[in-house]
Amino acid sequence: MHAALAPAGALLAERRGLYQLAVELFSPGTPPLPESRLDNPLFRFRVGEALADRIPFDSDAEDDLDDLATEVGRDLRVISGASANERLADALRVIHRQSGAPGVPPRVLTEADGESFREAMALVEAGLARFRAVSPALARDLLPHTALLVILDPATANGVVSASSRLFPGLILIDKPSCPYDVAEALVHEGAHQKLFDLAITHDFLGAEVDERVFSPSWSSAHWPLEQVVAAFHAYALMAQFAEDVTASGEIGRLGRNSLLPFARERETEIGRWLLGTEESLEGDARWLLRTLLCEDNAASQAEESKDPIPDGRYELKPLVRMARMATGRVLLASPGHPPRLVWLNGNAARIVDHLGREPLSMSALGPEKARVLTGLVDSALVHRVQ
């Protein structure tokens, strides 16, 4: 299902392309950055805050975490360095606050904690192995979106089982596990959020206008805004798939005592039914994802919004607009501003932008389909009329 929107490799490449283009927007002349930097949660936080126009981007800021991480298997890195609590302090504070947990932010378990950390690492290795063995397709799909795993000191976790934040994409916190399936479930649950973060910044999910409706699940007194509802629906859908894989493996009895897997399908359905009643607030790819996961007819969500025609004349890209073509054929446009503007283009739109990058286009010279595409590009505020 995810691959129908974007295969994992293509999605990662497009997400990295977005961060690279954003940096070039803030710091013209920046050379291509290594993947390790583009995947770094602290770096991505700074770029995201600059794109949201909350803080200026500092190209010289120190955010390297490579010296803090230990490789586990071939596709997971765990924070282990003794200075992690100092260098991840801001991320821990933000994620702790967003999780709603009481007390002060938790402390990271590191190599300095000796046997306790070694016990946790052994369970992480075992949990990763169970995830890959029991649900290999899901593991291949989700693990590339997790940059770093942080194990929390259980004495300071304050009820946090697992947590992540879209402000620090790629970073997952888990309480010290008690069994391998605590780790495997967290990698599915929080990995689903990481996957959604990447889909949301490269595809059409939520518009700029915030829907004020909230959802109150039957199993909680919480009140979730729309963005959180979409994230919870997606996570429970993937957890339900994992639960089926675990059941088929005969290991359902090995789940942790706080596992949500037995409730995942029921909760996915409850959330999804509510979202169907609000899908006019979702953009095209989010509607497709919702209906596909619920096995609903997608025909109703495919109609394109009609746009009023624009005046005839010659049109060109606005000055300072930057353009990046992805290996997938999609094009990303970026324009400076407060906040900067980023627009993804597919198919005909990408081809028309290629032309606009060379010379202006006349509306009267285009057929009806391309004229509609150009109208959409003008609406994006990155193309304007020159005569």
Side-chain angles (χ1 to χ4, degrees):
M1 178 205 66
H2 285 149
L5 282 176
L11 179 57
L12 288 173
E14 290 187 347
R15 181 250 280 165
R16 289 165 180 154
L18 183 149
Y19 282 99
Q20 176 68 46
L21 186 60
V23 171
E24 293 172 8
L25 197 65
F26 300 133
S27 302
T30 300
L33 299 172
E35 289 182 358
S36 59
R37 186 85 187 281
L38 296 170
D39 293 345
N40 181 318
L42 299 190
F43 171 80
R44 294 175 67 188
F45 167 77
R46 295 193 300 104
V47 173
E49 291 296 281
L51 287 173
D53 208 25
R54 287 189 284 263
I55 60 173
F57 180 73
D58 179 3
S59 59
D60 297 322
E62 277 293 331
D63 49 32
D64 182 40
L65 296 172
D66 287 347
D67 61 313
L68 293 182
T70 296
E71 299 279 347
V72 177
R74 63 178 181 272
D75 41 22
L76 188 64
R77 301 169 75 227
V78 180
I79 290 295
S80 58
S83 62
N85 284 287
E86 177 185 351
R87 290 161 64 181
L88 290 174
D90 289 341
L92 292 169
R93 183 171 59 252
V94 168
I95 298 174
H96 175 262
R97 183 178 68 245
Q98 292 183 340
S99 73
V104 299
R107 193 181 74 84
V108 180
L109 206 62
T110 72
E111 292 170 334
D113 293 288
E115 185 60 26
S116 181
F117 179 74
R118 288 190 290 274
E119 290 173 354
M121 285 293 284
L123 287 170
V124 168
E125 291 179 13
L128 177 61
R130 297 318 307 142
F131 183 21
R132 285 166 41 187
V134 168
S135 195
L138 196 57
R140 288 193 300 271
D141 188 42
L142 296 184
L143 286 171
H145 300 275
T146 294
L148 291 169
L149 183 69
V150 174
I151 305 170
L152 302 178
D153 176 356
T156 66
N158 290 322
V160 174
V161 177
S162 70
S164 59
S165 168
R166 64 179 177 83
L167 294 178
F168 293 91
L171 185 67
I172 292 178
L173 312 185
I174 64 168
D175 192 8
K176 182 182 177 182
S178 60
C179 70
Y181 272 104
D182 282 350
V183 178
E185 182 172 336
L187 291 174
V188 176
H189 183 170
E190 303 302 337
H193 292 330
Q194 310 314 306
K195 184 85 177 186
L196 191 67
F197 297 156
D198 287 351
L199 284 168
I201 64 173
T202 56
H203 290 73
D204 299 325
F205 268 73
L206 294 173
E209 296 185 7
V210 178
D211 190 299
E212 299 296 334
R213 285 173 287 189
V214 296
F215 171 68
S216 297
S218 63
W219 62 90
S220 168
S221 60
H223 302 286
W224 294 345
L226 183 62
E227 180 180 1
Q228 189 173 354
V229 179
V230 173
F233 169 73
H234 180 250
Y236 275 120
L238 271 61
M239 291 165 69
Q241 176 60 58
F242 185 54
E244 292 180 2
D245 293 341
V246 174
T247 300
S249 74
E251 297 189 350
I252 196 70
R254 298 175 63 183
L255 298 180
R257 62 181 179 273
N258 296 315
S259 176
L260 297 177
L261 295 187
F263 318 107
R265 186 66 74 193
E266 179 182 350
R267 293 183 180 185
E268 174 208 2
T269 301
E270 179 180 332
I271 300 170
R273 292 300 170 193
W274 184 87
L275 280 172
L276 281 176
T278 66
E279 65 176 328
E280 73 279 1
S281 299
L282 305 177
E283 296 192 351
D285 291 325
R287 292 196 302 271
W288 181 90
L289 188 74
L290 170 66
R291 288 181 165 268
T292 300
L293 285 170
L294 291 176
C295 300
E296 294 280 341
D297 180 16
N298 258 299
S301 67
Q302 297 303 312
E304 291 188 9
E305 178 185 353
S306 60
K307 298 181 181 294
D308 294 331
I310 58 176
D312 192 14
R314 286 159 53 80
Y315 289 82
E316 67 179 5
L317 288 178
K318 287 185 176 179
L320 304 181
V321 170
R322 290 176 173 267
M323 178 171 56
R325 175 173 287 280
M326 306 296 161
T328 57
R330 300 177 78 210
V331 167
L332 176 62
L333 297 183
S335 176
H338 297 284
R341 183 160 177 78
L342 299 173
V343 176
W344 285 98
L345 304 174
N346 303 311
N348 275 342
R351 289 189 286 274
I352 289 176
V353 165
D354 274 344
H355 189 115
L356 291 170
R358 299 189 299 271
E359 60 181 351
L361 263 176
S362 173
M363 176 64 76
S364 60
L366 299 175
E369 182 179 351
K370 290 184 177 180
R372 283 194 297 273
V373 171
L374 184 56
T375 298
L377 289 171
V378 172
D379 289 344
S380 75
L382 300 180
V383 172
H384 66 170
R385 187 168 179 253
V386 291
Q387 68 178 52

